[in-house]
Amino acid sequence: MEPNQIYAAEEDIIARTATQEQTDRDDNPNKGGTNLKSSRRRRRQSPNISEETALLGDRFDNEPGTNVGDGEDGLGDSWTGQNDHDGLPWWKTPSIYWLLPPFFLFTLAFGGSIVPKLNLILTLICRNHLAERQMADPSLQFMPVIPGSNNPQCQIPEVQALVSRFTLYVNLLTGILSALTTPALGALSDRYGRKYIIALTTLGLLLGEVITIITAIWPDVVSVNWLFLGYGLDGLFGSFTAAMALTHAYAADCTHPAKRNVAFGYFHGCLFTGVAVGPIAAGYIVKFSGSLVVLFSIVLLCHFIFICFLVFIIPESLTMSRQLVAREKYRLHRSKLQSWRQSARAFSTWTSARAAVVRTLTDLASPLQIFLPKGEDSAKAVRLNLILLAAVDATMFAVAMGSMTVVIIYSEYMFGWGTTETSIFVSIVNSGRVLCLLVFLPLITRLVRGRSNGIPPRNTGSDRLDIALIRVAVLFDMMGYLGYALVRTGPLFILSGLLASLGGIGSPTLQSALTKHIEPDRTGELLGAMGLLHALGRVVAPAIFNLIYSLTVGKFTQTVFVCLAATFGVAFALSWFIKPHVYLRGGRDIY
């Protein structure tokens, strides 16, 4: 695709939508799309990359030898989203504070269902295993397996291995499906807005909870294998990874790049608060109701309320002009693709078949092309930074996903914990993450970057603070997992979890840093590509680490934590190659 075609399409659409959006602006006649247009022209007039720009005025010195995009005044590109929503009434102005409260309810339900759902799986698999043993040897007698109770008769290596394999299979199913759908959902949100696509991903979780409730109500009639259908629906709609990526895209639309790490941190804080408070609330609900069905019904209601908030209350963060620009880009891209397919039909059947296979594989990997931008404005340092940041973020996510069930199963096996003790452990660890995200990260950012001084916001890529936070976060995670491998008592295991929780500042900082390297009209595509990597990590990491645990449990059970710590060691080494103050200025010729 020719860059001039894209520029012409953008400016034509912005001009056509200027009059329509003007009616929504009561006080400010300057339209966000007009500012976008002027910003595009500045970029086209100044395609060169400078090496002399600081991050925020003269507060930071530039790293020698790095490539820095600069604006007309040498301070970097202006953030084109700063005037998109000027003049709108407050109830139509998007903000992260619209999304945070219902998102917290969503994460509360998500966190509250983790341990009970895992214990439901454990209970159902244990009942089947003990029933098979009794059929083989009628003289064996076992205590009844009660859902939601400790069930010590299930704390045996055979059942642990079966549960580990089951969670491996459901993670494979969910991860593969979400890997196929998440990039498409991210790109779709660039063309049709964020909130409706977030609601669509939540619908998958809601349908999955319906299957879980049916299985919990009739455990003697409905097989545990029906849970595969619930996990499959979850993955088909993008799963939680897509929902998280799209909420970050919403936040990026209405947050200045220098403050995105804090904004993303708030969403991660909501996530870990939900994971911390949710299990405790779930434990009390199960204790007083005596039923897992009541808990899963409440989770279902929370997902439904979140969808209603998204559809009827929360304002859209992506202006119509930006949506139309993204749609026009997509239309031109599809036109070029259609021309390629028509030309391929002119060849022989065998050549066309081979080309079709190659094209299919290329389409599956095409979302990752955003990490390798082309064009004269794309410096080598930008591509290297994007690859390194994506690799470190995907590694941290993969380890978190791969260890989630292993840590719970291991703690129950090693220390004899039940649902209550495990829920308390999960809550303590995630409370530490919340403290880091909601207190330490904003405080450090304010102390280092200072307050806004009224200068129009600029984007100059990741600074040294971002990179230092990433390195420190990975280091704490590595130390925490080493602690898991070395300690042999419950309190020290909790202390190791708290040490690992300090690494919670890494993920929002990494994703914030990624969005600083590309243009704002491709944020959804970038985070969708990260969702693809997260989904692949959700497939590969649990498969590997659950397999390691199932093979080593009862022998050297801590082997899996040694492997997890080593993986963090690789991510820590990669983080030292990230350079500050590089970002993508134009980089439009990527199709």
Side-chain angles (χ1 to χ4, degrees), residues 94-171:
S95 168
I96 61 171
Y97 301 107
W98 277 109
L99 189 56
L100 281 171
F103 182 75
F104 172 69
L105 183 66
F106 170 71
T107 59
L108 192 68
F110 176 78
S113 66
I114 293 176
V115 175
K117 189 173 293 187
L118 184 59
N119 281 313
L120 175 65
I121 294 171
L122 175 65
T123 299
L124 297 175
I125 290 177
C126 181
R127 291 177 63 177
N128 293 340
H129 177 73
L130 296 182
E132 290 175 359
R133 290 186 60 183
Q134 283 185 322
M135 290 180 63
D137 186 359
S139 63
L140 292 176
Q141 297 294 324
F142 299 101
M143 294 291 293
V145 179
I146 303 173
S149 300
N150 289 340
N151 298 312
Q153 67 273 32
C154 296
Q155 305 302 327
I156 56 177
E158 293 86 354
V159 173
Q160 294 286 307
L162 290 172
V163 172
S164 181
R165 290 192 183 99
F166 186 89
T167 56
L168 164 64
Y169 298 148
V170 296
N171 283 323

Side-chain angles (χ1 to χ4, degrees), residues 5 111 164 223 440 471 558:
Q5 288 181 286
S164 181
S223 170
F440 294 156
R471 292 169 182 167
Q558 293 79 21

